[in-house]
Amino acid sequence: MGSCAVTEVAPRVDEAAAETNRERVSRRQVDKFAERRAQLADAALQTLAELGYARTSLREIAQKSPFSHGVLHYYFADKQDLITHCVRQYEAACVTRYDEIVASAGSAGELKREFSAAMAQTLRTDAPMHRLWYDLRNQSLFEESFRADVLEIDQRRKEMIWRVISRYAEFAGIAVAVSPGVAYAMLDGLFQQALLHHLAGNDHAADDLAANVVRVLDTLAVAGF
């Protein structure tokens, strides 16, 4: 009887081990697929930022990257899938770009100075990527397939700006009279306008942006008293 019990249990143990191994293999395959998509998105970003949505095809991206057109088509259903993935990947690293400033600032003046300087600096260094974001946001007005992703990214950007505004209000001892959406619209509008001037060759666009961000924050402080 004892031997029969062992014989019955052993297959169940083997089956459980086999199932665990299959799960591990499946997870590894999923992880490798996601990692490969991330690599391809990184390679595609520069071409997308250079040419924009309308002038870029998967074939064009393949010609300007180490990857073939077939490889891109295997990992991405179409151009929209690739572009959305690229922008989401880029924004994932950017939507917290000001959080360190919020965490380290010791006063309203310091936060205002560092935040305005950071906005000016990202305009100087990342203009092509910002241009790609605004391009995709504009396209979402016509391409319904982009809309949900764009709205999600826009929401995260709004929350990032509101963290800055809220902390500044705490330091300044004010109650912000505008909503998070209005605050985001003001600063995002300033940034988009500055980006246009920067791309047009205006050497003062970044400095003007920093000055205008300071003015917006000063206006909030005056309105709060």
Side-chain angles (χ1 to χ4, degrees):
M1 293 289 290
S3 62
C4 290
V6 172
T7 302
E8 291 175 358
V9 171
R12 289 199 293 270
V13 173
D14 290 343
E15 289 172 5
E19 182 65 26
T20 300
N21 287 335
R22 283 196 293 270
E23 290 174 355
R24 288 200 196 97
V25 170
S26 179
R27 282 197 299 271
R28 282 199 298 269
Q29 290 173 339
V30 170
D31 291 344
K32 285 182 178 179
F33 188 84
E35 181 180 349
R36 189 61 163 169
R37 275 169 63 92
Q39 291 173 348
L40 292 169
D42 280 339
L45 267 173
Q46 293 300 324
T47 301
L48 289 167
E50 176 188 347
L51 299 179
Y53 171 81
R55 294 192 296 163
T56 305
S57 64
L58 286 182
R59 193 171 301 280
E60 183 76 29
I61 293 169
Q63 290 174 351
K64 293 178 177 290
S65 76
F67 306 102
S68 70
H69 180 253
V71 169
L72 288 174
H73 236 307
Y74 176 78
Y75 285 95
F76 296 98
D78 51 30
K79 183 177 76 169
Q80 293 177 3
D81 184 23
L82 173 59
I83 292 177
T84 301
H85 189 84
C86 285
V87 174
R88 287 175 69 88
Q89 186 164 303
Y90 173 70
E91 285 297 317
C94 294
V95 293
T96 58
R97 66 161 60 90
Y98 304 123
D99 286 354
E100 185 176 346
I101 294 172
V102 172
S104 62
S107 66
E110 182 181 355
L111 179 57
K112 179 168 60 178
R113 181 176 63 253
E114 294 299 323
F115 174 54
S116 59
M119 286 194 73
Q121 183 60 24
T122 191
L123 177 66
R124 294 187 185 98
T125 59
D126 298 321
M129 297 303 176
H130 293 300
R131 177 174 62 182
L132 177 59
W133 157 246
Y134 287 116
D135 187 15
L136 180 59
R137 191 165 76 175
N138 288 336
Q139 288 296 328
S140 73
L141 298 174
F142 303 95
E143 295 279 357
E144 188 176 352
S145 59
F146 285 155
R147 208 160 293 155
D149 289 305
V150 165
L151 287 172
E152 180 184 341
I153 293 170
D154 216 42
Q155 176 65 26
R156 293 173 65 189
R157 290 166 68 96
K158 180 177 72 175
E159 291 168 355
M160 172 181 67
I161 293 300
W162 190 245
R163 288 193 291 272
V164 175
I165 298 295
S166 298
R167 185 60 173 151
Y168 179 77
E170 290 176 13
F171 278 132
I174 64 173
V176 182
V178 300
S179 67
V182 171
Y184 172 57
M186 287 192 296
L187 291 169
D188 183 67
L190 285 175
F191 190 90
Q192 188 172 11
Q193 183 183 56
L195 176 63
L196 178 60
H197 285 281
H198 176 77
L199 294 172
N202 185 343
D203 294 334
H204 303 290
D207 292 334
D208 291 343
L209 172 63
N212 285 328
V213 170
V214 168
R215 291 189 185 99
V216 168
L217 294 178
D218 284 343
T219 300
L220 293 176
V222 170
F225 287 114

